[in-house]
Amino acid sequence: MKVSKFGGSSVASAEQLVKVGAIINDDSKRKFIVVSAPGKRFKGDEKITDLLIQLGESYISNQPFDNVLDKILTRFSGIINELNISNSVLDDINQTIQSILSKQITDERKMDALKSVGEDSSAKILSQYLKSLNLNASYLNPKDAGIIVSNEPGRAQILPQSFEKLYALRERNEILVIPGFFGYTEDEQLVTFSRGGSDITGSIVAAGVKADLYENFTDVDSVYSVNPQIVQDPIEITSLTYREMRELSYAGFSVFHDEALIPAFKENIPVCIKNTNNPTSLGTMIVASKKHDKKCVVGIASAAGFCSLYVSKYLMNREVGFGRKLLQILEDEDISFEHAPSGIDDMSVIIRESQLTAEKENSILKRVKEELNADMVTFHRNLAMIMIVGEGIMSTIGIAQKATTAITEADVNIEMINQGSSEVSIMFGIRAEGINRAIQSLYTAFFE
Amino acid sequence: MKVSKFGGSSVASAEQLVKVGAIINDDSKRKFIVVSAPGKRFKGDEKITDLLIQLGESYISNQPFDNVLDKILTRFSGIINELNISNSVLDDINQTIQSILSKQITDERKMDALKSVGEDSSAKILSQYLKSLNLNASYLNPKDAGIIVSNEPGRAQILPQSFEKLYALRERNEILVIPGFFGYTEDEQLVTFSRGGSDITGSIVAAGVKADLYENFTDVDSVYSVNPQIVQDPIEITSLTYREMRELSYAGFSVFHDEALIPAFKENIPVCIKNTNNPTSLGTMIVASKKHDKKCVVGIASAAGFCSLYVSKYLMNREVGFGRKLLQILEDEDISFEHAPSGIDDMSVIIRESQLTAEKENSILKRVKEELNADMVTFHRNLAMIMIVGEGIMSTIGIAQKATTAITEADVNIEMINQGSSEVSIMFGIRAEGINRAIQSLYTAFFE
């Protein structure tokens, strides 16, 4: 039994939905289908979810909204006509929108409910289309599926009782098409997950029904070993562990919504990233553990936009609590840190630059100087992080050597290095301007 | 104006004190002399300070102490006779001991006062001997010198008003011989520094009188670039910065008492490590900053006896406060950490194995699992740390590459790496059994 989730580009048009239908028709194990809202069909196109947000904002601020509502319905109408399914689906979608707009609920709830219409409509359309292919399929609302969530609009968390309810769905002898991205609270209020949350729904359903496989259909053949914008036609990754995926997704790899993996991860369900446009390609498998390749590095991730808080104080390492107090100051400013490499009397804390407003920067500098009596406190901006990722790194001699050699040969200075015991990655910090050179050289060293 | 401090081996015998006298006589700028207690003259010999501690323990527990008192006085008597100076010095030393023993003070204070007798006696003997060489020299008690300290027996801290008093000593037109290791509280109680604290006294005096140079006389020609027990006849370091010294002293370099550098460091006074037995050798200069050598690595330090606490938790890096809470748990167990390299979802905290009792280990494992909800928590024992140290490291391309290549060529796996921005060292964690191989290979790479 498989759970198959189709992303925004896979349900963006009738043409794409025909591919989705064929994929479902092709494998009778694909019993649970989770769908996103229609995404962009071409560069410059609008996503349905963005139009729905526009609609909500106009309505709430008493602006005219006919135009945007029309855009939304036209888009759905086009899909429905091309798929040659009953126009009653369009009426259903329109009624759903009208009833949300007129309902006496807070603005926040109204926005959340409107945002869910994209996924909900996709599911309604796809289930009708599957029926038209003579498949035994039904639309299943998350409420009826048993997706019960916490009452946090825009960032719902799944509640544990959901999984038992979902497990009962195994008994239904049909294809169930479930809209992603939202669930219902215990008192039946609609609440959405964080943006991109259709992956979360898919992972929750996969965990709940204890699927053999969670397929995640996107528009790429697989996860690449390195950013294709930096290296042309990089090697595709056939298989990687949850831990490797996580390290890669951290910096530059955005195939998968991070949090989405948790339910599947906990139930040990393998995940497969596949391409709706090329379904015979094997895709990338994400598993709990795998045999060591000869190649112990599976990927090289990179991202700019980091900075480092450098603190030095003579005899720092004698002070029990120094590191903790430093991290506390960052926490007080609501800043999470990525790494904290340290010398004897100095410590660098690496954080994402986007978190650091000028105000926070000043406050941190002041507090570190005054409260920790530091000899020197500065921020270094404009850094990039490179992660060399692979389960085999910790047990293979020579990985750090190969990596440092490659970076050095690219004439890039290594500002920071970070590798802990048992870890599946080595991190290098460099100045952002060297990132392409460094990555290209690393790719050559590890993959060519 | 120079402050010259002579360590335990330099004042261990009359023969050594003759060398000290010659050194002082040789340079009229050596106006402030600080001395340790007589140390070992040969392998298996006893240090005077250890005998004084024995004396105190016997006295306090009402055991006979004549034997050990006799040993102490015999040792001093031998020195005094050989130097051919007045026996009144011996009477003075004996009286000092007797008056401490009979004084109505707490046992803790009695021990502290007894422990100070070694340095005090060295200073009395040396000042008499300098007089006998027709030098204008006086013994100067720390109380009269103005060394005012906090009331913490065995770990006194200097109080800021001391420095002004010490500065006034510049007016005295004679050689002042000051015993190291102790000072007096504001209400005139004798209190000692932490063990090895004569270096502290020397540094305090150097800072107070704003000396041009603080000379630290030991029994080695210089600081070596690597542990001579691992590499034969290693290169001597001619000059290093405070920061480099500090990184080196962290792991395997014990030439200098760490804390001792602080007062000199704050006043920017250069420090010179010299050899009493070979005073014409240039020694090693420790300075605030220096021109970059072509060689940007000055030394390689190493030490075994480390372990690493490894914690992994899915989505760790999303949790603001995770690192801080982990360090808090260690702090609650009174454990200081050395480094904390981290991946995305895991963190290794490196601590000294000596701090980790079985009880603390269990408590930490339990708390991290329960309070932080970690997926995995383990201790890795038997690690060694290697520090590659040099001010130029951060700005020189290729250092990490050279180091990782050398370690790899020695067939040693790198378990951990740690280098932050602006730092003067790169740390490598390896399994302890590989340490000699790794260090020899690194030495060859950087120094041969």
Side-chain angles (χ1 to χ4, degrees):
Chain A
M1 188 170 285
K2 297 179 182 175
V3 173
S4 307
K5 182 254 162 182
F6 294 89
S9 65
S10 304
V11 297
S13 65
E15 190 192 345
Q16 288 300 91
L17 281 163
V18 169
K19 293 179 190 168
V20 170
I23 289 168
I24 295 168
N25 203 3
D26 189 52
D27 185 346
S28 62
K29 287 194 186 144
R30 293 184 173 126
K31 283 290 181 202
F32 298 92
I33 311 301
V34 175
V35 287
S36 295
K40 292 181 184 179
R41 292 159 294 183
F42 45 82
K43 221 182 147 171
D45 193 18
E46 286 171 301
K47 291 183 178 181
I48 282 288
T49 306
D50 289 330
L51 293 173
L52 288 162
I53 291 171
Q54 248 178 274
L55 170 64
E57 283 168 353
S58 299
Y59 184 90
I60 287 165
S61 57
N62 285 316
Q63 303 291 313
F65 57 86
D66 285 354
N67 193 21
V68 60
L69 177 57
D70 199 46
K71 263 193 198 170
I72 294 166
L73 292 175
T74 305
R75 176 95 180 257
F76 283 125
S77 161
I79 295 174
I80 288 163
N81 288 336
E82 278 189 66
L83 289 177
N84 224 346
I85 56 175
S86 158
N87 246 319
S88 67
V89 180
L90 188 63
D91 296 339
D92 184 357
I93 294 170
N94 192 17
Q95 265 167 35
T96 304
I97 295 174
Q98 296 300 340
S99 100
I100 293 169
L101 291 178
S102 60
K103 210 171 176 184
Q104 295 297 319
I105 44 176
T106 64
D107 291 348
E108 192 185 24
R109 294 221 172 275
K110 204 179 282 282
M111 278 305 287
D112 234 25
L114 278 174
K115 271 157 61 187
S116 77
V117 169
E119 282 74 8
D120 195 54
S121 306
S122 279
K124 284 169 178 164
I125 293 168
L126 179 60
S127 59
Q128 275 303 322
Y129 173 62
L130 293 177
K131 275 181 198 167
S132 77
L133 300 177
N134 288 319
L135 289 166
N136 183 12
S138 297
Y139 160 83
L140 184 64
N141 188 278
K143 196 197 296 180
D144 303 318
I147 298 177
I148 308 159
V149 299
S150 65
N151 193 358
E152 299 168 273
R155 50 193 173 91
Q157 299 287 324
I158 189 75
L159 296 180
Q161 61 263 43
S162 304
F163 296 101
E164 207 174 311
K165 298 207 171 197
L166 284 163
Y167 190 74
L169 297 177
R170 289 172 63 105
E171 303 302 316
R172 300 270 292 261
N173 201 13
E174 57 184 328
I175 297 168
L176 296 170
V177 185
I178 306 168
F181 188 43
F182 65 103
Y184 287 82
T185 61
E186 285 172 312
D187 57 350
E188 306 200 339
Q189 308 243 38
L190 187 158
V191 191
T192 63
F193 296 116
S194 56
R195 184 115 199 220
S198 289
D199 284 343
I200 302 180
T201 302
S203 180
I204 287 167
V205 173
V209 304
K210 297 197 193 296
D212 301 315
L213 183 65
Y214 171 32
E215 293 178 316
N216 200 288
F217 282 88
T218 63
D219 52 5
V220 293
D221 274 0
S222 65
V223 178
Y224 293 110
S225 52
V226 70
N227 185 343
Q229 290 175 331
I230 299 180
V231 174
Q232 257 203 327
D233 295 325
I235 287 175
E236 298 176 352
I237 301 175
T238 52
S239 137
L240 73 171
T241 64
Y242 293 120
R243 297 213 296 171
E244 289 170 341
M245 179 71 215
R246 180 70 187 118
E247 302 274 336
L248 287 172
S249 71
Y250 166 71
F253 283 67
S254 55
V255 180
F256 214 101
H257 191 280
D258 257 3
E259 274 175 54
L261 270 179
I262 300 177
F265 170 72
K266 284 191 176 159
E267 284 294 328
N268 220 335
I269 291 163
V271 179
C272 188
I273 310 279
K274 284 181 82 75
N275 189 352
T276 299
N277 306 312
N278 185 17
T280 56
S281 167
L282 287 175
T284 300
M285 286 290 292
I286 306 172
V287 293
S289 66
K290 56 170 188 174
K291 278 192 206 148
H292 279 340
D293 279 291
K294 259 184 298 175
K295 270 200 186 114
C296 60
V297 170
V298 300
I300 303 164
S302 56
F306 290 88
C307 62
S308 143
L309 169 64
Y310 173 78
V311 181
S312 101
K313 182 182 181 182
Y314 197 69
L315 288 185
M316 179 191 287
N317 92 319
R318 292 282 186 87
E319 263 181 67
V320 174
F322 189 94
R324 195 262 310 155
K325 284 176 210 151
L326 181 60
L327 298 183
Q328 179 72 64
I329 289 175
L330 292 174
E331 194 177 334
D332 291 347
E333 298 288 341
D334 203 29
I335 285 176
S336 66
F337 75 102
E338 306 294 327
H339 302 281
S342 60
I344 308 307
D345 289 334
D346 43 25
M347 195 165 164
S348 300
V349 187
I350 302 168
I351 60 185
R352 287 185 191 265
E353 236 161 5
S354 60
Q355 295 186 92
L356 196 70
T357 61
E359 198 184 338
K360 287 187 178 189
E361 177 170 344
N362 286 335
S363 160
I364 291 166
L365 290 174
K366 189 158 171 271
R367 286 191 61 189
V368 173
K369 215 161 224 160
E370 285 173 8
E371 295 172 28
L372 299 183
N373 252 310
D375 297 330
M376 199 209 272
V377 198
T378 49
F379 275 100
H380 297 235
R381 286 184 173 267
N382 235 333
L383 298 175
M385 295 294 133
I386 297 172
M387 306 285 301
I388 312 281
V389 177
E391 290 276 349
I393 282 179
M394 56 183 150
S395 55
T396 311
I397 292 181
I399 300 297
Q401 184 247 327
K402 210 165 173 180
T404 51
T405 301
I407 298 173
T408 303
E409 281 172 356
D411 203 26
V412 172
N413 190 29
I414 299 170
E415 310 266 326
M416 289 174 279
I417 314 181
N418 187 297
Q419 184 207 339
S421 49
S422 291
E423 288 168 12
V424 298
S425 65
I426 309 179
M427 179 222 85
F428 297 94
I430 61 169
R431 302 211 56 80
E433 60 266 22
I435 196 160
N436 284 14
R437 287 205 314 280
I439 292 291
Q440 282 152 4
S441 178
L442 282 165
Y443 182 80
T444 304
F446 283 103
F447 293 99
E448 279 181 1
Chain B
M1 187 170 288
K2 296 179 182 175
V3 173
S4 308
K5 182 254 164 185
F6 294 90
S9 65
S10 304
V11 296
S13 65
E15 191 190 342
Q16 289 300 91
L17 280 163
V18 170
K19 293 179 191 168
V20 171
I23 289 167
I24 295 168
N25 204 2
D26 190 53
D27 185 346
S28 61
K29 288 195 187 143
R30 293 186 173 122
K31 283 291 181 201
F32 298 91
I33 312 299
V34 175
V35 287
S36 294
K40 291 182 185 180
R41 293 157 295 183
F42 44 82
K43 221 181 150 170
D45 193 18
E46 287 170 302
K47 290 182 178 179
I48 282 288
T49 305
D50 289 331
L51 293 172
L52 288 162
I53 291 170
Q54 245 177 274
L55 170 65
E57 282 167 354
S58 299
Y59 184 89
I60 287 165
S61 58
N62 282 316
Q63 303 289 312
F65 58 84
D66 284 357
N67 195 17
V68 61
L69 177 56
D70 199 45
K71 264 193 197 169
I72 294 165
L73 292 175
T74 305
R75 177 96 180 258
F76 283 125
S77 160
I79 295 173
I80 288 163
N81 287 337
E82 279 190 66
L83 289 178
N84 226 346
I85 56 175
S86 160
N87 244 318
S88 67
V89 180
L90 188 64
D91 296 339
D92 185 357
I93 293 170
N94 193 15
Q95 266 168 33
T96 304
I97 295 174
Q98 295 301 341
S99 99
I100 293 169
L101 291 178
S102 61
K103 208 172 178 184
Q104 295 298 319
I105 45 175
T106 65
D107 290 348
E108 193 186 22
R109 294 223 171 273
K110 206 180 280 282
M111 277 305 287
D112 233 27
L114 278 174
K115 271 156 62 187
S116 77
V117 169
E119 282 74 8
D120 195 54
S121 306
S122 280
K124 284 170 177 164
I125 292 168
L126 179 61
S127 59
Q128 275 303 321
Y129 173 62
L130 293 177
K131 276 182 197 168
S132 78
L133 299 177
N134 287 321
L135 289 166
N136 184 12
S138 295
Y139 159 84
L140 182 66
N141 189 279
K143 195 195 301 181
D144 303 319
I147 298 177
I148 308 159
V149 298
S150 66
N151 193 359
E152 300 167 275
R155 49 193 174 91
Q157 300 286 324
I158 190 74
L159 297 180
Q161 62 263 44
S162 304
F163 296 101
E164 205 173 314
K165 297 208 172 195
L166 284 162
Y167 189 75
L169 297 178
R170 288 171 65 105
E171 304 301 315
R172 299 268 293 260
N173 199 13
E174 57 185 328
I175 298 168
L176 296 170
V177 185
I178 306 168
F181 188 41
F182 65 100
Y184 287 82
T185 61
E186 285 171 312
D187 57 350
E188 306 203 339
Q189 307 243 38
L190 186 158
V191 191
T192 63
F193 296 116
S194 56
R195 185 115 198 219
S198 289
D199 283 344
I200 302 180
T201 302
S203 180
I204 288 168
V205 173
V209 303
K210 298 196 191 296
D212 302 314
L213 182 66
Y214 171 32
E215 293 179 314
N216 199 288
F217 282 89
T218 64
D219 52 5
V220 292
D221 273 2
S222 66
V223 178
Y224 291 110
S225 52
V226 69
N227 185 343
Q229 291 175 331
I230 299 180
V231 174
Q232 259 201 331
D233 295 327
I235 287 175
E236 298 177 352
I237 301 175
T238 52
S239 138
L240 72 172
T241 64
Y242 292 120
R243 297 211 299 170
E244 289 171 340
M245 179 72 215
R246 181 70 188 118
E247 301 274 336
L248 288 171
S249 71
Y250 165 72
F253 283 67
S254 57
V255 180
F256 213 100
H257 191 280
D258 259 2
E259 275 175 54
L261 271 179
I262 300 178
F265 169 74
K266 286 191 174 158
E267 283 293 329
N268 221 336
I269 291 163
V271 179
C272 188
I273 310 278
K274 285 181 80 77
N275 190 353
T276 299
N277 305 312
N278 186 17
T280 55
S281 166
L282 287 175
T284 300
M285 285 292 291
I286 307 172
V287 293
S289 66
K290 56 169 188 175
K291 277 193 207 149
H292 279 339
D293 277 292
K294 258 185 299 176
K295 270 199 186 114
C296 60
V297 170
V298 301
I300 303 164
S302 56
F306 290 89
C307 62
S308 141
L309 168 64
Y310 172 78
V311 182
S312 99
K313 182 181 182 183
Y314 197 70
L315 288 183
M316 180 191 286
N317 95 317
R318 292 281 187 87
E319 265 181 66
V320 174
F322 189 94
R324 195 262 310 156
K325 284 176 210 149
L326 181 61
L327 297 183
Q328 179 72 63
I329 290 175
L330 291 174
E331 193 177 335
D332 291 347
E333 297 290 340
D334 203 29
I335 285 175
S336 66
F337 77 102
E338 306 293 327
H339 302 281
S342 60
I344 308 307
D345 290 334
D346 43 23
M347 193 166 164
S348 301
V349 187
I350 301 169
I351 59 185
R352 287 186 192 264
E353 238 160 4
S354 58
Q355 295 185 93
L356 196 71
T357 60
E359 199 184 338
K360 287 187 178 189
E361 177 170 345
N362 287 334
S363 159
I364 290 166
L365 290 174
K366 192 158 169 274
R367 286 190 61 189
V368 173
K369 213 160 227 161
E370 287 173 7
E371 295 171 28
L372 298 185
N373 253 309
D375 298 329
M376 201 209 271
V377 197
T378 49
F379 274 100
H380 297 236
R381 286 183 172 269
N382 234 334
L383 298 174
M385 295 294 132
I386 297 172
M387 306 286 300
I388 313 282
V389 178
E391 291 275 351
I393 282 180
M394 55 182 152
S395 55
T396 311
I397 292 182
I399 299 298
Q401 184 247 328
K402 209 166 175 179
T404 51
T405 302
I407 297 173
T408 302
E409 281 173 356
D411 204 26
V412 171
N413 190 29
I414 299 169
E415 310 266 327
M416 289 172 281
I417 315 181
N418 187 298
Q419 184 207 338
S421 50
S422 292
E423 287 169 12
V424 298
S425 64
I426 308 179
M427 179 221 84
F428 297 94
I430 59 168
R431 302 211 55 80
E433 60 266 21
I435 196 162
N436 283 15
R437 287 206 312 282
I439 292 291
Q440 281 152 5
S441 179
L442 283 165
Y443 183 80
T444 305
F446 284 104
F447 293 100
E448 278 182 0

